[in-house]
Amino acid sequence: MSTSTLPPASSPSPLAGAVEQPTFGENVQGYLSKIRGGDMGTLPAILAFLILSAVFVVLKPGTFTSFLNIANLFQQGAVVATIGMGLVFVLLLGEIDLSAGFASGVCGAVLAVTLTNKQWPLVAALPAALLTGVGIGLILGLLVAKVGIPSFIATLAAFLAFQGVVLLIIGNGGNISITNKAVLAIENQNIVPWLGWVIAVAALAVYVGLSLRRWRMRRSNGLLVLPLASLAIRLGAVVLLVLALTFVLNQERSLNPSRTSISGIPIVIPIIVVLALGLTFLLDGTAFGRHVYAVGGNAEATRRAGINVARVRVTCFVICSTLAAFAGIFGASRATSVDPNAGGSNVLLYAVGAAVIGGTSLFGGKGRVVDALIGAAVIAVIDNGMGLLGYSAGVKYVVTGAVLVLAAGVDALSRGRLRGAR
Amino acid sequence: MTQTVDERPTPTTAPALEVREGRKSFGAVHALRGVDITVRAGEVTALVGDNGAGKSTMIKCIAGIFPFDSGKVLVNGAPASIHGPGQASAAGIEVVYQDLALCDNLDIVHNMFLGREMKKGLRLNETAMETKAADVLASLSVRTVRSIRQQVASLSGGQRQTVAIARAVLWNSKIVILDEPTAALGVAQTEQVLQLVRRLADAGLAVLLISHNMNDVFEVADSINVLYLGQTAAQVRTSDSTRAEVIELITSGAPSTGEAVQPRRDRPATSTTTNGSRPE
């Protein structure tokens, strides 16, 4: 029962020493009972993704799984996924940012104006767009955390105002095109296949190496660890997924390969992966991340623990708007221009939907960065698949809305279950 | 009207915490009109009193949530100025509030280290925190939690209380104040928590226990301090008093017969003086 490696404690410490490492079976059982208890995490999203994909594959056999379309899914989902990742931070607080969509529009417009109209170099225009995002977040955060306006109202006002700001920057009915090659490349160019393989394999090697090292260290310190089999399944799944995607994206997907060849991982994917890894580290690995969860769980207790709650709140809004700025840049790159509706229409609700469908709670305190990515995949599949089937925008909106309500319902019910269990 | 504790016959060591003539007003409301208390290391001192007697105000003053208007606070015999929760922590005073102030969505380790995380560079040092948390729980002989990585939401009331208490003793604190720790608990869990409170004192900490429950008080406390309408009615040794006497002090602010408590004032060594008993 007890492990062989006791910590070198001077006094016997029964709890630390007697860690019973769970077996693989116990681990699986624990997971199942957690799901039955209402804590489903990303499971519904992954199931929805698989089921929807299967449906579209059956209904539209050749097209949905075509290499071109799969790459398309990523490029379409990039903006929503990026805003969604930022929204996770605000949602973790139990707040909302309704202005994130148009904040991305404002930042995209700043990029377009500085690059195209003012002829700034990219090294000045990109920081200008990102700093605009930081500034927006700072204002929103101060309004919510310091002035005390409910985030719903503060960001609803900002939603309206930013819509106006985009109009003012670009001019009514206007449209500023992007000609900078580097910006256009983000969403429209791919990494040459051999380099894609090198990057994918190297990243996986680092990931697996670090995971195993941490596992060994925890075990040798006599702390609770996952059973090796569970760890192997988790690592194996990630490795397989990444290799499969790299393989698919490295296939020739041009409709007319003799004229132009299109293959390789879209450049936006590694950018999003780096953003996601950085944000995940921030949330899981640092004291700041703990404080974000703590504020979402019990703000009063966090305050009494001596944490500056207002600062945590403001920082989360800054992160959210900064990610929106990244999304604005991706959006400008994809559309090759910025128009007054940039970041408008369904972008924000898709982003909130992505986070919530992925398993982030609207009530705060529960959620992960990866939720936004998985949720964005579900939304991209619905949007893309229904488009291929020829449904109108109206039907797509209704279905996406229904999926969002479903996800929010699961969130609310599982929360009730967790509470009832106590 | 009030006697200072200096009159104790044989002052062996200075008490861990002492308040003399503590006063606190909120506008026209005199919440505390002269409170005295002596909390000794290795003992459980109970603070009792009816609703509105000023128990909560008193511990908030001691904890630095708001300071006393006047009066003295001595920590280990030395005057301490406590004007904020940070200064209270620095003086070794930790409070476990009635609502426990736990974050349900964090695990036991993160709750215990909330706001005082151990870090290795930028990264949280999870290994060190988990080891230390496990050691503290083990030193309190807590064996009821299976994994210290489970969320606090999944714990029972008694276990949550245990986590909150463990968090308070994690920081080499000398004085632990517990606000109604058993108020929301069932019989078995109350017993567990009371045993834990006893172990804290046996480990050399000074424990101040706020409670409404006379059974609890007489089970664990060494000394009982009674508040009545914002004033200290008396502080008596548990072994020297009966339940009826204490209840009489709580309800009327004066001992029933005047002989049960008062004559013991000058008992040597083991006895704490009857502070601030109201004039008869």
Side-chain angles (χ1 to χ4, degrees):
Chain A
M1 88 162 238
S2 74
T3 56
S4 52
T5 46
L6 280 159
S10 49
S11 59
S13 64
L15 204 122
V19 167
E20 273 180 64
Q21 300 294 3
T23 63
F24 178 62
E26 282 174 340
N27 189 244
V28 172
Q29 260 175 14
Y31 182 66
L32 289 178
S33 75
K34 206 169 120 182
I35 289 171
R36 273 198 299 273
D39 185 4
M40 286 185 274
T42 44
L43 188 68
I46 292 173
L47 286 180
F49 178 81
L50 293 177
I51 293 169
L52 286 166
S53 302
V55 168
F56 290 129
V57 167
V58 170
L59 294 178
K60 203 78 180 168
T63 328
F64 183 72
T65 45
S66 74
F67 297 134
L68 179 65
N69 196 49
I70 290 175
N72 219 352
L73 275 173
F74 281 98
Q75 285 157 334
Q76 281 175 349
V79 170
V80 165
T82 308
I83 297 180
M85 287 194 291
L87 273 167
V88 166
F89 282 78
V90 172
L91 292 174
L92 276 176
L93 299 175
E95 310 277 357
I96 185 90
D97 183 357
L98 297 175
S99 70
F102 274 114
S104 81
V106 171
C107 298
V110 168
L111 181 79
V113 167
T114 50
L115 269 184
T116 307
N117 296 7
K118 301 214 190 278
Q119 295 289 321
W120 286 15
L122 188 67
V123 287
L126 271 186
L130 293 177
L131 282 176
T132 307
V134 172
I136 289 172
L138 207 56
I139 294 169
L140 292 175
L142 289 174
L143 287 177
V144 172
K146 289 285 186 189
V147 182
I149 306 174
S151 59
F152 179 79
I153 297 300
T155 61
L156 188 62
F159 167 82
L160 202 63
F162 293 159
Q163 197 168 356
V165 171
V166 180
L167 262 177
L168 291 174
I169 294 179
I170 295 182
N172 214 345
N175 174 330
I176 303 176
S177 59
I178 303 269
T179 50
N180 185 292
K181 288 214 174 69
V183 173
L184 291 179
I186 296 172
E187 279 269 32
N188 300 297
Q189 295 290 319
N190 306 301
I191 298 170
V192 283
W194 68 265
L195 187 59
W197 279 114
V198 170
I199 293 173
V201 170
L204 284 176
V206 171
Y207 170 69
V208 171
L210 282 179
S211 300
L212 288 178
R213 201 177 77 118
R214 183 170 317 154
W215 188 85
R216 268 215 314 273
M217 263 176 61
R218 283 185 60 86
R219 195 180 170 93
S220 67
N221 278 313
L223 300 176
L224 202 68
V225 290
L226 274 177
L228 196 55
S230 306
L231 183 74
I233 289 177
R234 180 186 285 184
L235 293 181
V238 172
V239 169
L240 265 181
L241 186 73
V242 170
L243 290 182
L245 274 176
T246 310
F247 174 78
V248 167
L249 292 170
N250 275 341
Q251 299 304 303
E252 176 60 51
R253 56 177 180 266
S254 173
L255 294 175
N256 189 352
S258 53
R259 263 184 52 211
T260 48
S261 169
I262 310 174
S263 66
I265 300 169
I267 290 174
V268 70
I269 293 182
I271 297 179
I272 289 183
V273 168
V274 168
L275 285 175
L277 289 178
L279 294 174
T280 301
F281 171 74
L282 192 61
L283 214 45
D284 288 353
T286 68
F288 168 75
R290 286 301 102 193
H291 299 168
V292 173
Y293 282 104
V295 170
N298 188 341
E300 173 60 20
T302 315
R303 189 185 68 77
R304 280 198 225 146
I307 294 161
N308 188 335
V309 173
R311 192 158 69 203
V312 173
R313 285 213 168 99
V314 172
T315 311
C316 284
F317 274 94
V318 168
I319 290 170
C320 181
S321 296
T322 308
L323 265 289
F326 276 103
I329 295 166
F330 300 159
S333 168
R334 179 163 175 76
T336 70
S337 69
V338 177
D339 63 44
N341 202 30
S345 75
N346 51 18
V347 169
L348 174 82
L349 280 180
Y350 275 14
V352 175
V356 175
I357 290 168
T360 295
S361 173
L362 286 165
F363 302 98
K366 178 170 157 274
R368 294 177 306 164
V369 173
V370 71
D371 291 350
L373 299 183
I374 295 171
V378 173
I379 287 186
V381 165
I382 296 174
D383 198 62
N384 175 289
M386 295 190 70
L388 290 180
L389 290 174
Y391 286 106
S392 67
V395 179
K396 279 201 279 183
Y397 285 175
V398 170
V399 170
T400 313
V403 171
L404 178 51
V405 166
L406 195 71
V410 168
D411 177 26
L413 289 176
S414 74
R415 182 182 154 86
R417 239 187 185 179
L418 283 177
R419 288 206 149 168
R422 214 191 28 258
Chain B
M1 127 186 174
T2 329
Q3 284 174 292
T4 56
V5 189
D6 291 32
E7 291 174 24
R8 257 183 311 116
T10 47
T12 44
T13 48
L17 173 75
E18 211 177 334
V19 176
R20 292 186 199 157
E21 271 295 284
R23 286 166 192 279
K24 179 75 193 172
S25 306
F26 300 98
V29 181
H30 301 289
L32 298 179
R33 301 177 295 142
V35 288
D36 305 81
I37 194 166
T38 307
V39 185
R40 298 188 160 276
E43 288 189 358
V44 177
T45 306
L47 178 62
V48 298
D50 216 337
N51 290 338
K55 304 188 295 293
S56 296
T57 310
M58 183 160 164
I59 64 158
K60 279 177 183 158
C61 288
I62 295 173
I65 306 288
F66 35 70
F68 285 111
D69 293 339
S70 67
K72 265 190 187 164
V73 179
L74 305 178
V75 175
N76 290 325
S81 77
I82 294 171
H83 295 282
Q87 284 167 317
S89 298
I93 301 173
E94 291 285 335
V95 185
V96 179
Y97 292 98
Q98 198 169 354
D99 65 1
L100 302 185
L102 296 174
C103 292
D104 275 356
N105 59 333
L106 298 185
D107 64 29
I108 296 176
V109 176
H110 287 139
N111 261 295
M112 286 173 69
F113 282 86
L114 186 61
R116 294 183 268 199
E117 291 84 358
M118 294 163 84
K119 281 177 253 185
K120 208 161 44 183
L122 262 179
R123 179 176 269 284
L124 290 170
N125 192 345
E126 300 279 359
T127 310
M129 286 196 287
E130 192 166 332
T131 311
K132 192 168 173 199
D135 283 345
V136 168
L137 286 171
S139 73
L140 297 174
S141 307
V142 175
R143 290 191 189 78
T144 53
V145 284
R146 161 120 207 236
S147 156
I148 56 173
R149 281 298 183 185
Q150 59 187 320
Q151 285 194 354
V152 165
S154 66
L155 300 181
S156 70
Q159 289 172 327
R160 295 160 65 84
Q161 188 74 50
T162 304
V163 171
I165 293 173
R167 173 168 69 180
V169 297
L170 187 60
W171 304 102
N172 291 325
S173 47
K174 303 282 178 287
I175 303 148
V176 176
I177 303 175
L178 304 166
D179 189 2
E180 299 265 5
T182 59
L185 300 182
V187 177
Q189 297 190 333
T190 297
E191 196 50 42
Q192 277 175 16
V193 169
L194 289 180
Q195 281 173 10
L196 176 56
V197 169
R198 195 58 247 173
R199 281 199 296 273
L200 291 182
D202 292 345
L205 288 165
V207 181
L208 178 57
L209 172 78
I210 289 93
S211 184
H212 261 115
N213 188 324
M214 282 304 125
N215 290 329
D216 293 0
V217 168
F218 274 85
E219 186 175 339
V220 293
D222 300 293
S223 171
I224 304 173
N225 188 299
V226 186
L227 279 187
Y228 179 74
L229 298 179
Q231 278 180 313
T232 300
Q235 181 161 350
V236 298
R237 299 300 299 181
T238 313
S239 50
D240 298 343
S241 45
T242 65
R243 212 162 287 213
E245 288 162 8
V246 172
I247 289 172
E248 186 65 27
L249 279 167
I250 292 173
T251 49
S252 70
S256 46
T257 55
E259 59 189 17
V261 179
Q262 293 287 30
R264 305 212 158 131
R265 182 183 294 166
D266 295 321
R267 283 203 160 202
T270 54
S271 126
T272 312
T273 41
T274 319
N275 302 330
S277 47
R278 312 184 81 225
E280 310 264 337

